[in-house]
Amino acid sequence: MDKLLSVAPSPHLKSSTGVPGLMFGVVIAMMPVLVLSVIFYGLGAIVVTATAVASCVLFEAIIQKYVLRHKITVSDGSAVVTGILLAFNIPSDLPVFMIILGSLVSIGVGKLTFGGIGNNPFNPALVGRVFLLVSFPVDMTTYPNPTGLNASLAESYIDASSGATPLTLIKEGIKAGKPVSELMTQVPDYADLFFGDMGGSMGEIAGIAIVIGFLYMLVRKIITWHVPVVIVSTIFAFTGILWLINPEQNADPLFHILTGGVLLGAVYMATDYVTSPMTIKGQVIFAVGIAIITVVIRVYGAYPEGISFAILIMNAFVPLINRYVKPKRFGEQLSNG
Amino acid sequence: MSTIILYTVISLSATGIVAALILYFAAQKFKVYENPKIDEVEEELPAANCGGCGFAGCRAFAEALVKAEDLNDFYCPVGGNDTMQMVAKILGKEATLSDPRVAVLLCNGHCEARPKTNVYEGATSCAIASALYGGDTGCQYGCLSHGDCVDVCDFDALHMDTETGLPVVTDANCTACGACVEACPRDLFELRKRAKKDRKIYVACRNEDKGGIAKKNCAVACTGCTKCFKVCPYDAITMENNLAFIDSDKCKLCRKCVPECPTNAIIEIGFPPPKEKKVTETATDNANNKEEVLPGQSKTDQS
Amino acid sequence: MLKTFAKGGIHPPENKYSANQPIVSIVPPDTVTIPVTQHIGAPSKVIVNKGDAVKAGQVIAQSEGFISTNIHASVSGKVVKVDSIVDSSGYKRPAVFIKVEGDEWLEGIDTSDALNENISVSDEEIIPKILEAGIVGMGGATFPSHVKLSVPRGKNAEFLVINGVECEPYLTADHQLMMEKGKELITGIQILMRGLRVKNAYVGIENNKKDAIKHLTVLAANHQGIEIVPLQVKYPQGGEKQLIKAILNREVPSGGLPIDVGAVVFNVGTTFAVYEAIQKNKPLIERVLTVTGKSVTKKGNYKVRTGTPMKHVIDAAGGLPEDTGKVISGGPMMGKALNSLEVPVIKGTSGILIIPDEEAHRKPVQPCIRCTKCVQVCPMGLEPYLLQVLSEKSMLERAENEYIMDCIECGSCSYTCPSNRPLLDYIRLGKQQVGKLIRSRKQ
């Protein structure tokens, strides 16, 4: 045999799952959400998503090639995920230049300044979203009314008629002193909320699609159930207590979970590999923190919705959690005795 | 409105004053006495924090120097004699002086001389490769070419030559801190005495195998033939484990040994090209010195 | 629900091609090279000289110290030289070269295949005889067996655990041994139980070897205290600590040994060697190993004398395939890649795995994306991603505090990493350096 043998330390087997595979799995899991948002928002949803994905991928490639002079790593698919997530987090009638700007901040500031994939402390899509929210508060908080699939591009995107989200309605109503029972008559019923017939960001409207995506990621073992389930159940418990104390001042827990970005954030953004803790115990702490901050912002803060801030705040705690929350070791309890 | 401003100013000032007082008393109470000489000594040190002195950084070295009875066991290889004399002056003690040294790689097994016998695919680290096996050539003593030494060099004195697969020392930058000596799992670096114009003569091999085996695996291996040992007029060459070693403290750089070596394992660096006359002179003594000079062999002055 | 260990673990493709292939003896080569270090501990001292005639089973290197054992000539012939040879450590180490002449065995060794179930030795004689026969752990760790059997004062052995798990993919030697030598194994287990003075023995077998579970369960039914425990298929169940957790639900404490929870573990191969040593007076000079790999023509289980070069064994199994990329001594998860085919088979060689070129290479390393998969699969509950960084950056004290020394080097983390990071490469390096640090502190 002329060929030389290759030598490397064990193990000599390698599982077939790679980073692109995992990222592709996440993209598949986001497809139901995209489909439903296209059904409700028509072509506008496609324009927004396509712009966000294309500009995220492009910015990553351009910055890596010309600014960092680094190997281009767009093929790992993480920029695609960031683009779709960013699109899910903005209204479906946002002007193209804002989307491009948001993508630049997501990829440039949120990801590459920290050293690219694996090193960013904050979820890049949320960095972009919060940047846009702070820079263009009006455009980011008025949401188009669902137009349906048959509407023309002009109707669904350029001059879509806009309205408020259910969360904003309740928030403004409570501030104005109206009882919750009266406000609840103005919002869609739970079934509509679950199937997506409400105002909001592209990705947050359809609870059913998010649940399907969650189940898909569980089956493919892309994520574990802990973070999403803990976030949702903690929000349910916390708002449930508030609701029991005073049902006229606080919306009921089911309403809190089905509206706004709770499901979207819990399933797709809090589970982001890079910005969530490394141990199950740490992930539970992380999830509880997100849930509590979300409810506090919603109930007591100035914004009607707080999950994106909550996730970013808890992202900042992740290094601390990783430092002090350790997995249970084999043979641990006996060694100290 | 003005009351709000007033209250703000008053409360903030009060907080500031209270905090300042707390800090002042804390600073007084928890003050740690430090010999001011430590700072003075540290000033003199090169602040490279390379660990070449054996301590964890320049500050730790300064503390140890101030504490020490005499300076016999202390030496800063980076600052050299000048620094040590300055330090000695501050402390009023006698400094031990040492000859300036330079790191030298005792392997010349470049790709052509040392054929590969397998392909290493593990993590790029000499330490890992060395723990795994004898290496990707037949020589289990030679350079593994993964550059652990280059990674640890704080002074930009080492770089990998991609053609030979061997690290190259830039003499001008080398401070003889010893980081590469520590890092090399094969013990291939030696800190040799720096000679005039950075001239060097050394045996670039650590292969302890018997001559035949060593030569089979590497064309430029030292075979332990003892020819150089016999010719050295200054007793600078010793033989051990099938290997010749030239003591840089005894070597007078006469170059008598160089043409003796049948495998060109003795390397001379920094000398002017040999004059015609001298070559013929040695040739008469030695019948078989027709060896061709291999690439990487006749390195002339590097700086 | 079958028993298994609680934490982590992976399930790589099993690829047990050579299952149920009957054990075939390989004729010894012209020259054998027997390394004098075939075990963990002190190298044995060579007691033969060049030119000596030796018989198979004759001691050629004697145990030096407690953790060490005897080495025997595996063939009859003449000692050609004592020289160094590259062994599976990847370095040259001393070995005895014997030129084979005939096949003459030392007197008193019963070379027949006849079953001898009648244990005639006394309990006290068992440990010295095992040392005499040079028996070491044959699962790959090669820890001298007489040391394991000598329970230290203050410790109490309660159970004997027999490892028939064979959790490494590809390997089938233990499986086939259980099928063909079931009765001998039961006798071996009884000998070990007497040596340890324990009343209960458990044989752990993974459920992908249903025939072996059934076969041994029938044989064990007549013997008190021997229980066959079917286990879920999960790597690394063959690790001592994982096996004890799976069968007895006891956790060996961090930094401790199985004896700390009253258990002593032996591999089935070792158990068979114990049977032969006590009942047949035969030292450990041959073993069953698997020769396998996708392109190997005669995949199977072979009985090989120690000191036989790997090349000879591979030739007997149909020769080295054209597309070979890597040859591994042992299983794919913990085995060692060979840099030369002249490396001899030793007591701990459980298999020779030949991996074709297209599967032999590592994929390019990408940055860690913190997916937590390595933390999830670590059977010791460690954080491999962190240990890797700490090792790479030589932050040894921190690595020690993160319990790097608990790592059993099973390779589950490197296997599962989607970024193809060389996690175990660096962790192993970190373990060595931390070990050095700990030893230097003790002095």
Side-chain angles (χ1 to χ4, degrees):
Chain A
M1 200 190 64
D2 321 323
K3 233 177 342 152
L4 298 178
L5 292 176
S6 45
V7 178
S10 67
H12 308 286
L13 282 187
K14 185 76 195 67
S15 76
S16 51
T17 321
V19 174
L22 290 173
M23 291 299 162
F24 188 66
V26 176
V27 172
I28 300 266
M30 291 192 290
M31 281 304 130
V33 182
L34 190 63
V35 167
L36 271 190
S37 58
V38 170
I39 290 175
F40 283 106
Y41 288 127
L43 293 170
I46 297 180
V47 172
V48 171
T49 315
T51 315
V53 172
S55 46
C56 277
V57 171
L58 239 113
F59 279 131
E60 179 154 302
I62 290 171
I63 295 176
Q64 282 182 330
K65 175 140 196 213
Y66 295 106
V67 183
L68 302 174
R69 302 188 185 278
H70 189 264
K71 215 177 89 212
I72 297 177
T73 59
V74 286
S75 58
D76 64 25
S78 61
V80 176
V81 173
T82 303
I84 299 180
L85 272 182
L86 180 68
F88 281 2
N89 268 296
I90 53 184
S92 62
D93 64 342
L94 203 70
V96 168
F97 87 89
M98 290 189 198
I99 304 173
I100 296 178
L101 201 61
S103 308
L104 179 62
V105 172
S106 288
I107 295 293
V109 177
K111 188 172 167 193
L112 294 178
T113 43
F114 294 103
I117 187 169
N119 299 310
N120 47 306
F122 299 105
N123 189 325
L126 283 178
V127 172
R129 185 228 140 109
V130 167
F131 169 78
L132 290 175
L133 182 66
V134 176
S135 309
F136 311 104
V138 178
D139 300 82
M140 283 293 289
T141 47
T142 46
Y143 295 93
N145 290 322
T147 52
L149 196 53
N150 296 326
S152 69
L153 185 64
E155 279 174 86
S156 67
Y157 182 65
I158 296 161
D159 8 77
S161 61
S162 57
T165 66
L167 271 174
T168 319
L169 270 175
I170 298 282
K171 183 104 186 176
E172 297 297 323
I174 292 172
K175 233 190 251 172
K178 293 182 194 153
V180 168
S181 54
E182 187 193 317
L183 293 166
M184 289 302 274
T185 57
Q186 297 171 23
V187 299
D189 61 24
Y190 292 137
D192 282 345
L193 291 177
F194 189 59
F195 290 106
D197 197 2
M198 64 169 175
S201 302
M202 264 180 62
E204 68 189 25
I205 52 170
I208 172 83
I210 298 172
V211 171
I212 292 172
F214 172 57
L215 293 177
Y216 174 77
M217 287 200 283
L218 272 190
V219 171
R220 284 277 315 272
K221 293 194 175 155
I222 296 171
I223 57 169
T224 54
W225 57 268
H226 302 80
V227 170
V229 169
V230 172
I231 290 182
V232 170
S233 49
T234 312
I235 289 184
F236 191 88
F238 193 7
T239 53
I241 294 167
L242 292 175
W243 180 65
L244 285 176
I245 293 170
N246 190 346
E248 285 303 315
Q249 281 290 311
N250 297 295
D252 63 276
L254 205 56
F255 176 82
H256 270 290
I257 285 164
L258 291 176
T259 58
V262 166
L263 290 175
L264 179 72
V267 172
Y268 295 113
M269 291 184 296
T271 56
D272 173 40
Y273 285 148
V274 181
T275 55
S276 59
M278 293 301 287
T279 58
I280 298 291
K281 245 190 283 176
Q283 285 175 357
V284 170
I285 295 170
F286 174 74
V288 168
I290 289 173
I292 291 173
I293 297 171
T294 304
V295 177
V296 167
I297 293 177
R298 278 187 178 190
V299 177
Y300 304 103
Y303 282 100
E305 171 59 311
I307 185 134
S308 45
F309 288 108
I311 294 175
L312 286 175
I313 291 170
M314 288 312 291
N315 282 165
F317 282 99
V318 165
L320 202 65
I321 294 174
N322 282 341
R323 183 73 178 82
Y324 291 105
V325 182
K326 294 288 154 189
K328 194 171 159 290
R329 284 182 304 112
F330 186 98
E332 163 178 48
Q333 70 276 54
L334 292 161
S335 67
N336 301 331
Chain B
M1 198 61 181
S2 61
T3 50
I4 294 179
I5 293 172
L6 193 67
Y7 282 138
T8 316
V9 169
I10 291 173
S11 59
L12 277 177
S13 314
T15 318
I17 290 166
V18 171
L21 283 173
I22 291 172
L23 282 177
Y24 174 76
F25 284 111
Q28 287 298 315
K29 188 160 166 58
F30 299 110
K31 196 169 167 184
V32 179
Y33 174 77
E34 268 198 333
N35 193 334
K37 283 205 169 144
I38 294 176
D39 285 329
E40 268 177 68
V41 170
E42 200 189 354
E43 280 289 289
E44 290 302 324
L45 297 176
N49 288 317
C50 63
C53 51
F55 291 88
C58 294
R59 178 87 192 169
F61 186 50
E63 282 170 18
L65 283 170
V66 171
K67 231 187 263 169
E69 298 271 315
D70 57 61
L71 304 184
N72 283 344
D73 297 333
F74 298 92
Y75 192 74
C76 171
V78 180
N81 289 346
D82 294 347
T83 300
M84 289 314 291
Q85 263 160 349
M86 293 300 285
V87 168
K89 216 161 125 194
I90 293 169
L91 298 174
K93 293 170 196 161
E94 198 70 26
T96 34
L97 301 186
S98 159
D99 296 320
R101 292 189 173 254
V102 65
V104 172
L105 180 74
L106 302 188
C107 174
N108 190 28
H110 51 84
C111 304
E112 275 173 56
R114 202 162 50 132
K116 295 251 179 291
T117 56
N118 59 77
V119 184
Y120 175 74
E121 284 195 22
T124 315
S125 153
C126 306
I128 290 174
S130 174
L132 179 69
Y133 73 136
D136 56 3
T137 68
C139 172
Q140 65 175 17
Y141 304 93
C143 179
L144 290 158
S145 310
H146 300 304
D148 279 13
C149 49
V150 177
D151 293 345
V152 297
C153 184
D154 284 339
F155 302 96
D156 203 21
L158 274 166
H159 70 272
M160 224 43 185
D161 184 333
T162 43
E163 230 155 79
T164 59
L166 297 171
V168 179
V169 182
T170 311
D171 288 357
N173 292 354
C174 180
T175 61
C177 70
C180 51
V181 179
E182 285 277 305
C184 183
R186 295 270 151 103
D187 246 347
L188 291 176
F189 281 98
E190 191 209 343
L191 298 177
R192 292 177 75 88
K193 193 167 100 180
R194 230 180 239 264
K196 228 183 279 169
K197 295 188 188 160
D198 280 332
R199 287 178 172 170
K200 299 184 199 98
I201 292 182
Y202 61 96
V203 180
C205 184
R206 303 280 316 226
N207 192 328
E208 295 177 9
D209 285 339
K210 280 176 204 140
I213 299 170
K215 194 165 176 200
K216 199 181 115 211
N217 292 321
C218 177
V220 293
C222 170
T223 56
C225 69
T226 71
K227 277 185 182 162
C228 54
F229 170 72
K230 285 172 193 153
V231 83
C232 182
Y234 303 105
D235 288 339
I237 299 181
T238 45
M239 298 298 305
E240 203 180 341
N241 298 327
N242 298 317
L243 263 182
F245 173 75
I246 306 178
D247 188 338
S248 61
D249 290 324
K250 288 184 188 157
C251 176
K252 299 267 196 281
L253 301 172
C254 72
R255 295 202 276 167
K256 282 213 171 109
C257 51
V258 180
E260 290 294 326
C261 182
T263 55
N264 292 321
I266 302 180
I267 292 187
E268 52 170 18
I269 294 179
F271 294 91
K275 289 170 198 155
E276 279 306 313
K277 213 176 163 190
K278 225 173 188 176
V279 171
T280 44
E281 204 176 302
T282 42
T284 45
D285 296 350
N286 179 21
N288 64 335
N289 79 329
K290 285 178 218 144
E291 288 85 27
E292 280 173 36
V293 175
L294 284 154
Q297 188 66 52
S298 59
K299 285 181 202 156
T300 41
D301 201 335
Q302 291 192 346
S303 49
Chain C
M1 196 63 178
L2 292 170
K3 285 181 175 179
T4 187
F5 59 99
K7 211 185 307 275
I10 54 175
H11 188 180
E14 292 169 24
N15 291 331
K16 305 245 184 198
Y17 303 126
S18 52
N20 300 317
Q21 291 290 327
I23 298 170
V24 179
S25 284
I26 290 183
V27 184
D30 295 338
T31 312
V32 295
T33 45
I34 304 175
V36 296
T37 353
Q38 300 193 26
H39 48 262
I40 287 179
S44 313
K45 191 175 148 221
V46 182
I47 54 166
V48 288
N49 293 310
K50 188 176 166 181
D52 286 1
V54 290
K55 288 180 183 169
Q58 182 183 333
V59 178
I60 54 171
Q62 234 165 12
S63 155
E64 283 271 287
F66 181 55
I67 302 183
S68 182
T69 192
N70 289 342
I71 310 270
H72 304 76
S74 59
V75 291
S76 60
K78 207 167 241 156
V79 176
V80 187
K81 58 178 174 176
V82 180
D83 199 356
S84 57
I85 183 175
V86 175
D87 69 7
S88 54
S89 73
Y91 281 93
K92 284 177 194 151
R93 291 200 293 200
V96 178
F97 290 60
I98 301 172
K99 189 160 178 359
V100 181
E101 288 163 6
D103 191 16
E104 205 180 320
W105 289 65
L106 206 65
E107 277 161 49
I109 297 175
D110 177 2
T111 51
S112 73
D113 259 350
L115 175 69
N116 177 4
E117 285 184 297
N118 180 26
I119 305 167
S120 54
V121 295
S122 71
D123 293 1
E124 287 71 29
E125 284 173 297
I126 291 172
I127 294 176
K129 275 199 109 166
I130 284 175
L131 165 64
E132 189 55 42
I135 295 175
V136 299
M138 286 163 75
T142 65
F143 192 78
S145 297
H146 67 275
V147 182
K148 259 190 188 177
L149 281 172
S150 318
V151 178
R153 208 171 295 159
K155 302 270 160 77
N156 183 24
E158 298 168 61
F159 307 100
L160 172 68
V161 176
I162 301 296
N163 183 353
V165 170
E166 203 157 52
C167 61
E168 282 265 13
Y170 290 95
L171 301 189
T172 56
D174 285 355
H175 180 190
Q176 196 55 30
L177 195 66
M178 288 190 280
M179 292 306 292
E180 290 186 22
K181 305 283 179 192
K183 283 185 179 159
E184 286 85 345
L185 282 176
I186 297 288
T187 312
I189 292 168
Q190 287 173 313
I191 297 167
L192 286 171
M193 284 165 76
R194 283 177 54 179
L196 279 169
R197 298 176 175 77
V198 295
K199 294 270 168 304
N200 291 298
Y202 299 93
V203 185
I205 305 173
E206 277 188 354
N207 204 31
N208 54 2
K209 294 178 271 290
K210 290 200 175 70
D211 49 353
I213 295 172
K214 212 166 138 197
H215 180 60
L216 287 188
T217 310
V218 171
L219 294 180
N222 309 329
H223 301 280
Q224 263 235 305
I226 302 178
E227 192 189 324
I228 312 299
V229 188
L231 299 168
Q232 258 182 63
V233 182
K234 194 156 98 174
Y235 179 86
Q237 197 142 237
E240 284 191 331
K241 295 179 177 181
Q242 275 62 39
L243 187 61
I244 293 168
K245 175 74 180 170
I247 292 179
L248 301 170
N249 197 25
R250 293 186 179 188
E251 279 190 19
V252 178
S254 175
L257 291 170
I259 192 68
D260 294 331
V261 291
V264 178
V265 184
F266 282 95
N267 173 272
V268 289
T270 320
T271 312
F272 182 68
V274 166
Y275 160 82
E276 289 201 314
I278 306 291
Q279 302 297 86
K280 304 267 188 182
N281 208 18
K282 184 175 155 193
L284 178 49
I285 57 168
E286 56 184 356
R287 67 158 297 150
V288 179
L289 54 80
T290 306
V291 184
T292 184
K294 211 187 226 166
S295 318
V296 176
T297 39
K298 287 195 247 162
K299 309 175 181 73
N301 305 298
Y302 296 91
K303 195 187 227 179
V304 183
R305 304 279 175 93
T306 54
T308 309
M310 299 278 183
K311 192 167 183 311
H312 183 81
V313 183
I314 294 170
D315 285 344
L320 196 69
E322 268 299 300
D323 61 351
T324 302
K326 209 184 222 180
V327 179
I328 294 161
S329 161
M333 293 302 291
M334 293 186 77
K336 269 198 97 142
L338 298 176
N339 55 349
S340 151
L341 296 181
E342 295 302 318
V343 170
V345 168
I346 57 165
K347 294 171 182 176
T349 311
S350 51
I352 302 173
L353 170 60
I354 296 166
I355 296 187
D357 199 42
E358 76 252 23
E359 291 169 25
H361 305 291
R362 291 201 177 181
K363 294 177 203 157
V365 176
Q366 288 168 329
C368 171
I369 57 163
R370 316 187 137 249
C371 66
T372 74
K373 285 189 189 295
C374 58
V375 180
Q376 285 167 30
V377 299
C378 180
M380 298 308 287
L382 304 173
E383 293 173 283
Y385 80 100
L386 179 65
L387 297 177
Q388 187 245 323
V389 174
L390 295 176
S391 303
E392 194 176 349
K393 305 246 182 288
S394 284
M395 294 165 76
L396 301 182
E397 266 150 38
R398 174 88 196 278
E400 190 189 353
N401 293 334
E402 299 286 352
Y403 301 97
I404 195 169
M405 295 313 277
D406 279 6
C407 171
I408 58 168
E409 302 182 21
C410 67
S412 300
C413 49
S414 292
Y415 171 81
T416 198
C417 180
S419 290
N420 313 317
R421 298 187 68 72
L423 294 166
L424 183 56
D425 292 12
Y426 279 101
I427 294 173
R428 210 183 269 124
L429 175 69
K431 275 183 74 177
Q432 283 168 9
Q433 291 175 341
V434 171
K436 230 183 265 170
L437 191 76
I438 293 171
R439 280 195 297 276
S440 73
R441 214 179 286 148
K442 272 182 189 157
Q443 280 163 10

